[in-house]
Amino acid sequence: MSENFDLVVIGGGPGGYVAAIRAAQLGMKVACVEKRGSLGGTCLNVGCIPSKALLESSEKFEDASHNFAAHGIKAKIELDLATMLARKDKVVLDLTKGIEGLFKKNKVTYIVGTAAIKAAGEVVVDGKDTLKTQRILIATGSDVMKLPNVEIDEKRIVSSTGALTLDKVPNHLIVVGGGVIGLELGSVWRRLGAKVTVVEFLDSIGGLMDAEVAKQFQRILEKQGINFMLGSKVTAADTKGKNVTLTVEPAKGGDSSKLEGDVVLVSIGRKPYTDGLGLDKVGVKLDNRGRIEVGSHFETNISGIYAIGDVIAGPMLAHKAEEDGVAAVEAMAGQKTHVDYNLVPSVVYTWPEVASVGKTEEEIKKSGISYKIGKFPFMANSRGRAVGQTDGFVKIIADTTTDRVLGVHIIGPHAGTLIAEAVTVMEFGGSSEDIFRTCHAHPTLNEAVKEAALAVLGRAVHV
């Protein structure tokens, strides 16, 4: 193959494929090189989408098993795991084929293969075919972080990839890491009947989550049956017996203990994936965490080579990568563009969901800004009551002087959808008053956001 392009995108995940399509819309001749053999990246193939499919299915299973009776519905429930997994696979397949269709519609050249950068303006595919291009966009995403002395075999010790394809429900699933991935997949298998233990190095779950929300979140998950070992680290794994035996030590030092389970999920985070790209040969700079350094328009130190998504600084989230991709190619086209990483929402798709945008209370307190808080529980929300989803609350933090919203944190039903209103308001520098003076339909879960905004000024009506 020998063809000239305006842009070659390396990686067909959320950042890469969206960037390729937007670039084509802007009139560029675009190629996207993806080695997986299906578009959508980790997110679509072995991450966000299959996990959400299983979360939805497992949620329905648990609902039918435990909650239908309260609605006057009697049923005999039986798990068909093979069908559940097949549905998940079909969701993924349909979406990946859909992206291929979008590529054809927008005349993006899709190339299956492993790409390496030979020089600025040259991409080699599978070591033989050279693509000539004006610009190169690196969108190769991230990979699973490994745990020392614990080897992932995707059978008994699994990453998130293996946890999505288990052919039977574990008796005891041990999750190493209390972040988003571990809690979501732990929830899936707990609902389907597994005993679940989460081992977390920190003293709280949820990573950098607002502390008040994290505490409530842990209480709810414990009530659902998930066990937690906080302030603990796994130092070794023995797979010789029938079960996997982990050596667990206190994070701050002390005597070790043993923990046995038939499946162990390692989910301690992700790292930028830049292997085999040849960045060292062309001189692209990396930071001390292995991320590609870029300027305000996503260009690296090498002219004509750009990078987006998980391989650069910022939240490792699919929607952030998409925003990066659009911004990068629009900048290439001479348009003004900007991505505010302070306003990228994060969501945990357990039940209840947890969503946030902006600063946590701890961050604001540390900054010295004077702030006020408004909270409203879903227990007092009429729609929450009607549908039987009353766990959690909405928390809005605003500047005392200006009333500008600094952070919004939601734990409750459909929090991932509700957070969009907060993101919009904050994007425009809005206040809590802007939220509560906007008419919210009744009865909706969104009214909890309005009431929390009213509570910032001590004006909540329904609590």
Side-chain angles (χ1 to χ4, degrees), residues 8-26:
V8 171
V9 180
I10 303 176
Y17 85 72
V18 168
I21 291 171
R22 182 62 184 134
Q25 290 174 344
L26 291 168

Side-chain angles (χ1 to χ4, degrees), residues 6 68 100 105 135 158 162 171 220 241 257 277 361 444-445 450:
D6 298 314
F68 274 14
E100 287 186 31
K105 177 183 176 181
R135 302 179 184 89
V158 301
N171 293 315
I220 293 172
S257 60
L277 287 176
E361 184 177 356
T444 61
L445 296 170
K450 176 176 181 175

Side-chain angles (χ1 to χ4, degrees), residues 213-403:
V213 173
K215 289 178 182 178
Q216 176 77 344
F217 190 26
Q218 183 180 335
R219 284 196 292 267
I220 293 172
L221 293 179
E222 285 176 333
K223 187 177 178 181
Q224 292 175 359
I226 295 180
N227 305 303
F228 291 94
M229 294 178 64
L230 303 181
S232 301
K233 62 180 179 180
V234 173
T235 57
D238 184 352
T239 59
K240 294 176 183 176
K242 181 178 180 181
N243 290 326
V244 179
T245 302
L246 299 181
T247 301
V248 182
E249 299 178 4
K252 298 177 182 178
D255 296 334
S256 65
S257 60
K258 302 295 184 182
L259 183 63
E260 286 191 13
D262 49 330
V263 178
V264 174
L265 165 60
V266 178
S267 57
I268 59 172
R270 300 184 66 82
K271 61 180 181 179
Y273 184 79
T274 58
D275 296 353
L277 287 176
L279 300 185
D280 54 340
K281 295 179 182 178
V282 294
V284 173
K285 289 184 179 179
L286 305 180
D287 67 14
N288 59 3
R289 294 175 60 182
R291 301 175 300 191
I292 298 173
E293 294 185 356
V294 295
S296 59
H297 289 162
F298 301 94
E299 192 167 20
T300 69
N301 61 300
I302 304 300
S303 180
I305 300 179
Y306 300 74
I308 61 168
D310 286 3
V311 295
I312 68 171
M316 284 186 168
L317 297 168
H319 45 283
K320 177 264 192 185
E322 291 184 12
E323 296 298 321
D324 282 356
V326 171
V329 298
E330 288 183 346
M332 293 174 196
Q335 298 184 6
K336 292 183 178 180
T337 186
H338 174 66
V339 179
D340 187 348
Y341 291 161
N342 294 312
L343 296 181
V344 176
S346 63
V347 184
V348 187
Y349 292 94
T350 47
W351 194 262
E353 293 180 355
V354 181
S356 65
V357 63
K359 303 294 184 184
T360 65
E361 184 177 356
E362 291 70 40
E363 289 173 325
I364 298 170
K365 188 178 294 183
K366 188 176 180 179
S367 73
I369 296 173
S370 177
Y371 65 92
K372 49 194 175 181
I373 292 175
K375 289 194 297 182
F376 189 81
F378 284 100
M379 181 67 75
N381 174 263
S382 57
R383 183 64 183 272
R385 285 274 190 163
V387 299
Q389 298 167 1
T390 56
D391 282 333
F393 56 85
V394 178
K395 177 179 180 178
I396 296 178
I397 311 172
D399 187 293
T400 301
T401 304
T402 65
D403 193 37

